[in-house]
Amino acid sequence: MAHEAAHDHHDDHHHAPQGFFQRWVMSTNHKDIGTLYLIFSLTMFFIGGSFAMVIRAELFKPGLQLVQPYFFNEMTTMHALVMIFGAIMPSFVGLGNWMIPLMIGAPDMALPRMNNLSFWILPFAFALLLSTLFLPGGGPAGGWTMYPPLSLQSGSLAYAVFAIHLMGISSIMGAINIIATILNMRAPGMDLLKMPVFVWSWLITAFLLIAVMPVLAGAVTMLLTDKYFGTSFFNPHGGGDPVLYQHVFWFFGHPEVYIMILPAFGIISEIIPTFARKPIFGYRAMVYAIACIAFLSFIVWAHHMFAVGMPVGADIFFMYATMLIAVPTGVKVFNWVATMWGGSMTFETPMLFAIAFVILFTIGGFSGLMLALVPADFQYHDTYFVVAHFHYVLVTGAAFAIMAATYYWLPKWTGHMYSEFWGKVHFWCSVVFVNVLFFPQHFLGLAGMPRRIPDYNVAFADFNMISSIGGFLFGASQLIFLGVIVHCAFFSKKKATDRVWEGARGLEWTLPSPPPHHSFTVPPVVHDEELAHGHVSD
Amino acid sequence: MTSGSIRTDAPRTHRGRTAGIRRIVAASLALVLALGAGLAQADPHPWQLNMTRGSTTWSGEAYFLNNVALGVCVVIGVLVFGAMFIAMFRFRKSRGAVAEKWSHNTTVEIIWTAIPVIILVVLAWMSTGGLVSFANTTGAQMTVKVTGYQWKWRYDYVDYLGKPVSKVDYMSKLDALSDKTRQLDSGMDPYAVKTGDENTYLLNVDKPLVLPIHTKIRFVITSDDVIHSWWVPEFGWKMDAIPGIVNTAWTNISKPGTYRGQCAELCGQDHGFMPIVVKAVSPEDFAKWLAAQQQANAPAAPAPAASAAAPATAQVAPAGSGEHG
Ligand SMILES: [Cu+2]
């Protein structure tokens, strides 16, 4: 395999195109497009993060000091839309773009031109969405869920809907590309059940995306026609039903939640075996658990709606189905722990983030289980308890996994080692401050503080101040992350080896660091011992 | 923890003859308990850590489930995270640990799939009981219609003890002092907004909803514009107020008091400023209050326009009743 890589390396026409415009805007190369996705999502992470800073600053103490309530609502709405559709999802697509061809021994993505298009839609979609903040009537402020009738009061609804349509098109094209690549472009010998768990997680996620993004598009299109074309899908005055929107939205929304976490499961399943120097425990169980969670995600949507007054039978069904998800999720957590057990562990930055992921994501899972219990959810629903829950799952879950993946593969991408010292500083700052930020929000919710309010009674003051301090420091810590990446890409003197990590297994590590512009133009020979993560002997 | 006033219904019986030291022990115990079990007390208070037990016959269901689920999660968390930390300590390369080769163990996989299933079945069984009792709104002795507006609540007393109540209806909105204080750059201090010695910033209204205790009260909840959610934490539930839909819920308050809550569904710019205040009084006081209200409203010439369409009987039209006025 090494000689094939070397062959690539010496092949002149495999070098990247010279012109900046041609290389980055016209690119059909999975590595360059992956890089574009990752840079884009990092940018959105900071934009969405700055909205969060506004929110935490206003909530620093009781009384309104900084912004008007309507602008506060724009901030909560935009923070969610930017983080979900701009930061988390594109970063997973970027990681998939970079790594899936390298992991399965493919020369590129199956549909390279569509790959270019699906990326270049995104900057326009977000320019459109963010431009609404500067419109006379302001941006969307009805929450990222856009429940009617409230969302229909917004003057910028059409902009938001069009932006969402564009993001949806981009996601669907990305998903088609990933499925086509995984099903058709694997190197000979790379059987489905030999694929790395990360590849599996993306295959399943891509099917989820194709299944639910059109549902979201349908929901927001109905909003659009209700507002501008006189339809009454959700308008009670015309015989419509506002709750129908919530059912349609969450039929998209719950799988969407797993779209943002399944690839994270895949990443963690790569990193822990590498640094434990031991094969993943229960490979098949890991794959089946992901598939099982994906299936269940389609039959639990109404657990977001226990307060809308559903029939008791529906409440019971959705409660039981939701609780079932704890089983495959538990299996995954136990398997990660079992992978560590009996290993030979070292704790480089990717491993630290992966371990933090397992613990803190599990805490988010615990609060998720509590939220599933309907009578208790009557209290939790729409409070800061829910805010704490989904930030544990999305920040210390999805975002931590993305950070872990960045540290894990950055030496492979750039050919240089990042600064382990500053990586660890970033980790420890992040893991401490993220808990200062979000843990007190459990208490606020339990004490009765509703979410999405710009001001509150003084009883909530202490924990809000602690949470805000944690928020500012967590936000500032991410500048270290940016610094580490820039340093690694442009200034690091330390060359990365091909393997990078002692315990790393998989085809991507047989290539040079950085890999040549075009890799695996000749399919590699797959040796089972090279596939420790994905290899099943029993 | 703050003043003793918040602990009125805690372990009162054991208090009387305790010595100073025991009181300190009790206080620190209370703090510890507050983490896991929480103290039964009304309204949010600084440093509150857990859900309120509530003040109705049903509210304990939510509280009990919350505590049981929290306990289960803490135990599982201690076991799983404990195993992780042991692994991180024992199986470090720096301690000379050599990686083993196994990647499979059917027995433990079956065990750690089965045990969560058993725990979940128990939790599901417990939740179902509470849910079914909440869904049973039959046998109510009183009906109140709640309507959400941007950004205030309207209360219509529909019937009481089998008799229709006419013309007792009013709007309830954020009190004037909170409203002045909450304006951007008002220069006013939220800590100075008090009712008695309780801070009621953003949790006080001009006219509270008055309800009798020891009475099964049925709420019919709807909205006139966007979706709101009517939530008094002491009652143990919230219910969305949705235009075009009438939701029902019930409560049976156990003790007199003032119970505060807020709109819990984002409803526009002043979503954070439409609190709910319930004043729970004895049935006798309630009957007097209701009579006084009826007298004040009924004989006086025509009722105000806004209340003209209020339902006059116990029969609430299920659809469209949120759209009148
Ligand atoms: Cu409201």
Side-chain angles (χ1 to χ4, degrees):
Chain A
M1 291 192 254
H3 54 267
E4 270 132 25
H7 162 82
D8 278 346
H9 208 48
H10 292 278
D11 218 342
D12 273 349
H13 78 274
H14 288 312
H15 285 306
Q18 294 302 312
F20 181 87
F21 184 84
Q22 215 195 355
R23 164 137 193 211
W24 294 107
V25 181
M26 313 275 282
S27 179
T28 55
N29 180 284
H30 74 103
K31 301 182 186 74
D32 285 353
I33 294 174
T35 304
L36 288 171
Y37 264 111
L38 291 169
I39 292 170
F40 175 80
S41 57
L42 190 65
T43 311
M44 286 296 141
F45 179 64
F46 282 102
I47 292 176
S50 67
F51 298 160
M53 294 299 109
V54 174
I55 293 167
R56 282 320 320 172
E58 182 52 65
L59 292 173
F60 186 72
K61 60 180 190 170
L64 289 177
Q65 291 87 24
L66 301 170
V67 298
Q68 292 289 0
Y70 189 84
F71 187 75
F72 183 90
N73 291 348
E74 288 178 59
M75 288 292 102
T76 53
T77 305
M78 288 299 223
H79 166 70
L81 288 171
V82 168
M83 286 303 200
I84 292 168
F85 294 104
I88 304 262
M89 288 171 71
S91 63
F92 281 134
V93 181
L95 292 169
N97 245 300
W98 246 107
M99 299 317 299
I100 288 171
L102 300 189
M103 289 172 130
I104 62 173
D108 204 306
M109 296 295 280
L111 306 157
R113 290 184 187 178
M114 194 163 86
N115 206 9
N116 175 292
L117 184 58
S118 68
F119 171 76
W120 279 106
I121 286 175
L122 280 181
F124 294 95
F126 279 89
L128 190 65
L129 183 68
L130 292 170
S131 73
T132 61
L133 287 175
F134 304 102
L135 291 179
W144 81 280
T145 51
M146 296 177 291
Y147 284 1
L150 180 64
S151 61
L152 302 176
Q153 294 179 346
S154 160
S156 53
L157 179 76
Y159 290 80
V161 168
F162 190 43
I164 287 170
H165 280 153
L166 290 175
M167 295 167 204
I169 292 168
S170 163
S171 291
I172 291 168
M173 289 198 298
I176 290 171
N177 212 345
I178 282 170
I179 292 172
T181 306
I182 296 173
L183 293 186
N184 296 307
M185 311 264 296
R186 279 171 287 128
M190 178 62 78
D191 303 338
L192 281 176
L193 278 171
K194 287 183 183 174
M195 295 195 308
V197 183
F198 176 69
V199 179
W200 260 112
S201 70
W202 240 124
L203 180 64
I204 293 165
T205 302
F207 278 104
L208 287 185
L209 274 170
I210 291 177
V212 301
M213 291 311 289
V215 178
L216 174 66
V220 297
T221 305
M222 286 187 271
L223 285 180
L224 197 69
T225 62
D226 267 14
K227 185 165 169 73
Y228 293 106
F229 302 104
T231 59
S232 291
F233 291 107
F234 312 126
N235 175 7
H237 297 282
D241 179 358
V243 178
L244 172 66
Y245 174 85
Q246 298 186 22
H247 282 290
V248 179
F249 180 86
W250 286 113
F251 186 83
F252 145 79
H254 202 78
E256 167 68 17
V257 173
Y258 292 129
I259 287 166
M260 291 188 284
I261 202 66
L262 297 185
F265 289 168
I267 290 165
I268 301 305
S269 303
E270 299 303 316
I271 292 173
I272 289 182
T274 296
F275 295 97
R277 293 167 180 76
K278 181 165 161 282
I280 185 105
F281 182 92
Y283 169 83
R284 278 169 194 264
M286 288 304 237
V287 172
Y288 297 153
I290 293 176
C292 182
I293 292 169
F295 168 75
L296 288 172
S297 75
F298 285 105
I299 57 165
V300 297
W301 75 87
H303 69 213
H304 298 267
M305 303 163 53
F306 284 143
V308 302
M310 281 187 293
V312 66
D315 279 349
I316 289 176
F317 171 81
F318 286 109
M319 169 167 70
Y320 291 176
T322 304
M323 293 172 76
L324 267 184
I325 295 178
V327 178
T329 313
V331 165
K332 297 200 74 71
V333 172
F334 298 142
N335 283 9
W336 287 321
V337 178
T339 305
M340 291 162 63
W341 197 271
S344 170
M345 277 190 277
T346 51
F347 299 90
E348 289 86 345
T349 311
M351 183 61 161
L352 291 175
F353 271 103
I355 290 169
F357 170 96
V358 175
I359 294 173
L360 298 173
F361 172 79
T362 303
I363 290 176
F366 285 148
S367 54
L369 174 65
M370 294 168 76
L371 283 158
L373 309 174
V374 183
D377 183 70
F378 287 150
Q379 287 280 40
Y380 305 138
H381 180 76
D382 262 332
T383 68
Y384 259 85
F385 190 81
V386 178
V387 177
H389 159 71
F390 66 69
H391 280 99
Y392 265 86
V393 177
L394 287 177
V395 179
T396 59
F400 268 31
I402 293 162
M403 290 171 191
T406 306
Y407 285 110
Y408 186 54
W409 284 312
L410 199 55
K412 174 57 65 184
W413 299 333
T414 62
H416 295 279
M417 293 306 286
Y418 62 85
S419 161
E420 194 61 49
F421 173 79
W422 286 104
K424 283 188 169 138
V425 170
H426 171 231
F427 168 75
W428 285 109
C429 288
S430 294
V431 79
V432 169
F433 298 138
V434 83
N435 283 291
V436 177
L437 166 57
F438 293 120
F439 208 83
Q441 296 183 1
H442 291 111
F443 304 135
L444 288 170
L446 290 169
M449 179 170 162
R451 61 190 281 204
R452 294 166 163 171
I453 58 174
D455 197 3
Y456 48 81
N457 180 264
V458 300
F460 305 125
D462 306 287
F463 282 130
N464 265 299
M465 189 176 283
I466 293 171
S467 179
S468 285
I469 291 168
F472 302 144
L473 293 172
F474 179 73
S477 307
Q478 301 323 307
L479 298 173
I480 305 173
F481 185 43
L482 183 65
V484 174
I485 293 171
V486 169
H487 169 263
C488 178
F490 299 109
F491 303 105
S492 174
K493 296 275 181 294
K494 201 173 161 205
K495 287 263 177 234
T497 60
D498 293 0
R499 173 110 7 222
V500 183
W501 313 108
E502 185 189 29
R505 291 288 177 278
L507 292 179
E508 76 264 39
W509 308 108
T510 63
L511 292 168
S513 303
H517 197 61
H518 291 282
S519 44
F520 294 134
T521 43
V522 177
V525 178
V526 175
H527 298 287
D528 276 2
E529 65 275 16
E530 253 312 324
L531 300 174
H533 304 169
H535 170 56
V536 227
S537 52
D538 46 349
Chain B
M1 315 288 294
T2 48
S3 69
S5 65
I6 54 175
R7 225 171 272 141
T8 43
D9 44 64
R12 188 185 296 139
T13 45
H14 298 291
R15 275 277 170 82
R17 51 186 195 281
T18 47
I21 288 183
R22 287 186 62 189
R23 205 169 299 146
I24 292 165
V25 172
S28 42
L29 254 180
L31 193 74
V32 173
L33 273 175
L35 267 168
L39 295 163
Q41 53 207 353
D43 301 327
H45 57 89
W47 302 108
Q48 182 175 338
L49 295 176
N50 200 1
M51 188 190 285
T52 172
R53 197 217 156 275
S55 306
T56 71
T57 54
W58 187 84
S59 61
E61 297 273 0
Y63 175 66
F64 178 66
L65 259 182
N66 167 68
N67 289 350
V68 171
L70 181 63
V72 167
C73 291
V74 168
V75 171
I76 298 174
V78 167
L79 292 175
V80 174
F81 303 152
M84 273 184 82
F85 282 109
I86 292 170
M88 278 187 265
F89 179 75
R90 272 180 59 184
F91 305 109
R92 311 172 73 98
K93 197 180 177 212
S94 56
R95 291 180 85 239
V98 178
E100 292 164 31
K101 291 273 174 261
W102 48 268
S103 63
H104 200 63
N105 187 329
T106 312
T107 318
V108 300
E109 290 184 85
I110 290 172
I111 290 171
W112 71 39
T113 310
I115 290 178
V117 170
I118 295 166
I119 295 171
L120 291 175
V121 168
V122 174
L123 283 175
W125 175 73
M126 285 169 41
S127 312
T128 306
L131 181 57
V132 169
S133 62
F134 176 76
N136 180 8
T137 56
T138 59
Q141 298 149 282
M142 174 177 178
T143 305
V144 177
K145 183 179 163 211
V146 177
T147 311
Y149 292 83
Q150 283 175 318
W151 292 274
K152 53 189 178 268
W153 296 97
R154 173 192 164 121
Y155 301 116
D156 291 89
Y157 289 79
V158 180
D159 65 70
Y160 180 55
L161 301 180
K163 281 188 248 127
V165 177
S166 62
K167 302 218 167 50
V168 180
D169 56 85
Y170 50 86
M171 290 288 186
S172 177
K173 65 174 195 306
L174 185 68
D175 70 300
L177 182 56
S178 290
D179 196 44
K180 262 174 97 173
T181 308
R182 65 109 176 164
Q183 301 300 325
L184 186 62
D185 298 324
S186 69
M188 295 167 74
D189 182 10
Y191 287 87
V193 181
K194 287 192 163 187
T195 308
D197 53 358
E198 183 191 12
N199 184 293
T200 54
Y201 178 58
L202 303 182
L203 289 180
N204 202 9
V205 294
D206 54 354
K207 211 171 170 209
L209 174 66
V210 180
L211 295 175
I213 61 167
H214 301 314
T215 305
K216 183 162 180 178
I217 304 161
R218 189 171 76 113
F219 295 94
V220 291
I221 301 173
T222 187
S223 166
D224 191 61
D225 38 50
V226 302
I227 302 175
H228 305 265
S229 193
W230 199 79
W231 181 35
V232 177
E234 286 295 302
F235 289 4
W237 50 265
K238 62 178 67 68
M239 183 60 79
D240 286 358
I242 305 170
I245 288 177
V246 175
N247 277 327
T248 57
W250 66 275
T251 195
N252 192 335
I253 305 167
S254 307
K255 49 185 188 261
T258 304
Y259 304 123
R260 299 174 193 280
Q262 300 183 69
C263 176
E265 178 65 54
L266 178 62
C267 58
Q269 62 171 8
D270 288 349
H271 162 58
F273 310 105
M274 51 182 291
I276 295 151
V277 179
V278 171
K279 208 175 139 201
V281 297
S282 68
E284 300 77 44
D285 288 350
F286 178 75
K288 274 184 232 158
W289 177 86
L290 192 65
Q293 294 291 311
Q294 278 178 302
Q295 217 155 36
N297 294 341
S307 61
T313 70
Q315 299 302 313
V316 176
S321 57
E323 296 163 33
H324 66 74

